[in-house]
Amino acid sequence: MMRQDCNIAQVLATAAQAQPEAIALVVKEGKTRQHKKWQHYSFSELAERSRQFAGSLQAAGLCRGERVMLMLRPSLDFVALTFALFHLGAVIILIDPGMGYRNLLRCIRTVQPETLIGVGRAILFSRLFPGTFHTLKKRICVFGRLPGSMRLKTLPQAAAPPAFTAAADDLAAVIFTSGSTGPPKGVHYTHGIFHAQLQLIRDYYGIGPGDTDQPGFTLFGLFSTALGAKAVLPDMDPTKPAQVDPQKFVAGIQAEKVSYSFGSPAIWRVVSRYCLEQEIRLPLHTVLMAGAPVPGELLADMQKILPEDARIFTPYGATESLPVASIEAREIVGKTWVATRKGRGYCVGRPLPDMDVRIIAVSEEEIADWHQVRELPPGEIGEIVVRGPVVTPAYDHNAAETRRAKIVSVEDGTKGLWHRMGDMGYVDEEGRLWFCGRKAHRVLSAEGPMYSVCCEAIFNEHPLLLRSALVGLGRPGRHIPVLVVELKQKGKAPAGLTEELLALGQTSELTRTIRHILVHPAFPVDIRHNAKIFREELAQWAAQQLPRLAADSGTTNDSQP
């Protein structure tokens, strides 16, 4: 009996057969920044480049199951190589290079790559840290020539072999988390999970052939191509979305008549401000905004720069399970945002088709079996757990973290897997999921738990604040809550700000125990989205600013639970 072929590489071949002359990819290329020009590649050209790479890589000795780290910027070669490696059955390793050397080296060491395909700088980097890259057998340089490495362009020319016939649970890639609440972890992505994600994106958001995407996150460009849509890789540094040049980003949308776009709130905050100032209306009919909680004010601004019938979605999920739930901006702005401003959390919508979301009593222990959990009723805050076709099975080479994050269930003789999102939240009477903050970011005071997102919303009403972060000093159960704020206008805090914030805190039962306010010059945020706040770093900084308070409360470096 032949098994069903789930190799995700086949979607490119299918798209190329269906619409060979349609444009698949638009990318700015050139030897130097001054000589870069926009290039357009059809689906047939992209598929042919991918087949050429697959043949050359196999001739160079790359085989099924081999772990291949890709370290190159968004480009035609990046997309073509990704599909070529899927074609061969290799396991692609993707790590954000901007996560910092310490995290980067730790991730590479744990994932144990066998082949490195990258730009010259990446090849040199691997030579500088031979201990970290000790598992490498092959180095392939995409541009240039370096001793001890093969050149991608001069690999042996050979016909591409038949695509590897993949089962749904065959490993396709290892993609690392952003590390916003601890060291980044490698997540196992199977061919079946990629297919499930494509189906959800295609069916729920209505994206497919005829659409044009300009993704603020490179991986989403791969999804667009796989769905038969045109992907315009924006002229920006993908590791610094908050520093996007709005003029360039908008120019790409206008020139290519982009119909939908995915990006973090950090990108859209910059772009929407620019469009409002320049009185520009974008042609987008769909926007997906994810990576961190999305303020209602940003959604309202986005509505002003898009057509009246445009849809803005804020999908909820994580690297380990994406997407889980979704909600459209009209419902947020018109119905749920008023509750968010009062500390009820962020409404992230209803579960997507075939996704199951539950709220369970919080636990610091491993939960091996679903029978050990206690489900909570609507309205009660607990841990968010999810089950469905996009839930990833494991962390790479990290059995301990896998046990902490997964719960096994057996129904009707079928084994299933729940993922603990690491988030706190609740489900309301209408079946909508509300996000209240990360589990690791709870402030466990003597008066009870305080949830970051809920408490911060009370203070974010102050017109001078860009954002705020609740941290706890001391031991769990005796945490002293401290509010750290970042101002819209950098510089010295105006007189009376602390008193005004404390008075604001007294207006809500959620925040009346907060007695300490600190102003931080610029919050540390994650590299991938430039939106998730590193509250652990802020907690350590707060302890340094309030040494006496920290000493009295017994603060240590792990003051956050």
Side-chain angles (χ1 to χ4, degrees):
M1 179 178 178
M2 295 183 64
R3 64 178 181 176
Q4 181 182 3
D5 185 7
C6 290
N7 193 320
I8 196 64
Q10 300 289 25
V11 296
L12 175 60
T14 300
Q17 290 173 357
Q19 45 179 1
E21 301 307 316
I23 298 301
L25 197 65
V26 181
V27 60
K28 204 170 190 180
E29 293 183 329
K31 291 185 177 181
T32 65
R33 183 177 296 274
Q34 291 75 18
H35 293 89
K36 283 188 174 183
K37 294 182 179 179
W38 289 104
Q39 305 291 340
H40 294 69
Y41 298 97
S42 68
F43 276 95
S44 62
E45 288 173 321
L46 176 59
E48 178 59 27
R49 177 73 68 99
S50 183
R51 284 193 294 269
Q52 290 173 356
F53 283 154
S56 296
L57 290 171
Q58 188 192 52
L62 196 143
C63 57
R64 170 189 168 187
E66 192 162 327
R67 290 179 165 236
V68 182
M69 177 172 290
L70 278 181
M71 298 187 77
L72 59 160
R73 293 180 64 84
S75 60
L76 168 66
D77 284 348
F78 173 79
V79 177
L81 280 166
T82 298
F83 282 106
L85 292 168
F86 286 148
H87 182 101
L88 294 174
V91 177
I92 301 174
I93 300 167
L94 296 173
I95 305 177
D96 284 337
M99 65 172 55
Y101 282 129
R102 182 176 298 178
N103 276 333
L104 182 61
L105 292 171
R106 191 193 67 82
C107 291
I108 294 170
R109 189 161 46 247
T110 59
V111 80
Q112 300 177 12
E114 298 165 277
T115 295
L116 170 61
I117 303 177
V119 296
R121 186 180 301 178
I123 303 298
L124 287 173
F125 181 74
S126 72
R127 294 293 187 189
L128 291 173
F129 298 94
T132 297
F133 288 87
H134 72 280
T135 55
L136 280 186
K137 300 173 184 175
K138 292 184 283 291
R139 291 174 170 85
I140 301 175
C141 190
V142 176
F143 302 110
R145 183 194 303 272
L146 289 172
S149 67
M150 296 179 279
R151 292 184 65 196
L152 179 66
K153 304 300 184 184
T154 59
L155 291 179
Q157 298 297 306
F164 161 63
T165 302
D169 58 355
D170 277 329
L171 187 60
V174 178
I175 301 175
F176 276 79
T177 63
S178 64
S180 60
T181 53
K185 298 183 287 290
V187 178
H188 280 186
Y189 267 71
T190 65
H191 285 270
I193 286 172
F194 278 131
H195 274 290
Q197 288 179 318
L198 283 175
Q199 181 177 340
L200 277 176
I201 294 169
R202 180 193 65 213
D203 296 346
Y204 192 84
Y205 298 113
I207 295 170
D211 279 312
T212 300
D213 173 32
Q214 181 166 289
F217 183 45
T218 306
L219 286 181
F220 207 88
L222 294 173
F223 282 118
S224 299
T225 304
L227 289 166
K230 177 170 71 174
V232 181
L233 302 187
D235 184 11
M236 62 175 284
D237 184 346
T239 68
K240 299 176 181 178
Q243 298 178 25
V244 62
D245 183 329
Q247 184 175 5
K248 292 181 178 179
F249 198 85
V250 169
I253 291 175
Q254 294 174 326
E256 296 296 333
K257 297 181 174 57
V258 172
S259 57
Y260 76 97
S261 183
F262 174 93
S264 76
I267 289 178
W268 294 116
R269 186 175 290 109
V270 175
V271 171
S272 63
R273 186 185 305 122
Y274 171 79
C275 289
L276 289 171
E277 291 172 352
Q278 302 297 318
E279 298 183 349
I280 295 173
R281 186 174 285 268
L282 300 177
L284 303 168
H285 68 63
T286 303
V287 169
L288 304 183
M289 202 180 310
V294 183
E297 292 86 359
L298 175 55
L299 294 173
D301 284 346
M302 289 292 295
Q303 289 175 327
K304 297 173 185 175
I305 66 171
L306 298 178
E308 289 187 6
D309 60 348
R311 304 175 303 162
I312 308 169
F313 294 99
T314 60
Y316 167 76
T319 307
E320 298 92 335
S321 181
L322 181 73
V324 170
S326 189
I327 187 172
E328 208 273 326
R330 291 178 182 84
E331 187 171 3
I332 296 175
V333 175
K335 297 181 179 180
T336 68
W337 185 244
V338 62
T340 297
R341 294 174 64 184
K342 294 179 180 178
R344 292 295 309 277
Y346 279 77
C347 185
V348 295
R350 296 169 179 82
L352 292 178
D354 298 322
M355 294 303 297
D356 193 357
V357 177
R358 308 281 180 88
I359 306 298
I360 65 173
V362 65
S363 173
E364 306 300 332
E365 306 300 325
E366 296 176 8
I367 304 176
D369 186 271
W370 184 251
H371 294 100
Q372 298 174 255
V373 310
R374 179 169 65 88
E375 287 191 57
L376 300 181
E380 191 168 339
I381 297 176
E383 279 191 64
I384 301 173
V385 296
V386 303
R387 178 177 62 175
V390 299
V391 170
T392 55
Y395 293 115
D396 192 63
H397 294 143
N398 200 335
E401 287 294 340
T402 297
R403 289 193 301 270
R404 279 191 281 269
K406 308 298 179 182
I407 306 173
V408 175
S409 66
V410 179
E411 294 182 9
D412 300 325
T414 302
K415 184 178 178 181
L417 200 64
W418 292 85
H419 177 69
R420 302 170 74 176
M421 295 292 288
D423 292 335
M424 304 299 294
Y426 63 94
V427 174
D428 66 18
E429 295 292 346
E430 297 184 41
R432 297 176 302 197
L433 178 64
W434 293 70
F435 169 74
C436 297
R438 295 288 289 167
K439 178 182 173 183
H441 293 158
R442 292 170 299 152
V443 171
L444 303 178
S445 70
E447 289 77 19
M450 303 173 71
Y451 302 104
S452 58
V453 165
C454 300
C455 294
E456 291 157 9
I458 305 302
F459 297 98
N460 289 342
E461 291 292 301
H462 196 289
L464 297 183
L465 294 197
L466 176 63
R467 51 191 167 186
S468 62
L470 180 70
V471 300
L473 302 187
R475 300 287 183 182
R478 294 193 298 118
H479 276 161
I480 296 177
V482 176
L483 187 78
V484 185
V485 302
E486 182 180 353
L487 304 180
K488 293 177 181 177
Q489 298 295 326
K490 308 305 179 186
K492 187 176 181 180
L497 176 64
T498 297
E499 290 73 17
E500 292 173 10
L501 290 173
L502 290 174
L504 198 56
Q506 292 303 304
T507 64
S508 172
E509 290 290 341
L510 301 174
T511 53
R512 287 181 179 173
T513 59
I514 297 176
R515 299 283 187 271
H516 305 279
I517 309 287
L518 294 172
V519 178
H520 192 280
F523 280 6
V525 293
D526 71 295
I527 296 298
R528 180 172 299 169
H529 302 292
N530 281 187
K532 297 176 183 177
I533 301 169
F534 285 139
R535 288 173 174 83
E536 289 84 356
E537 291 186 29
L538 288 179
Q540 294 179 1
W541 176 83
Q544 295 170 358
Q545 307 305 306
L546 301 169
R548 180 174 298 179
L549 181 66
D552 292 344
S553 60
T555 295
T556 62
N557 288 335
D558 56 355
S559 59
Q560 289 289 311

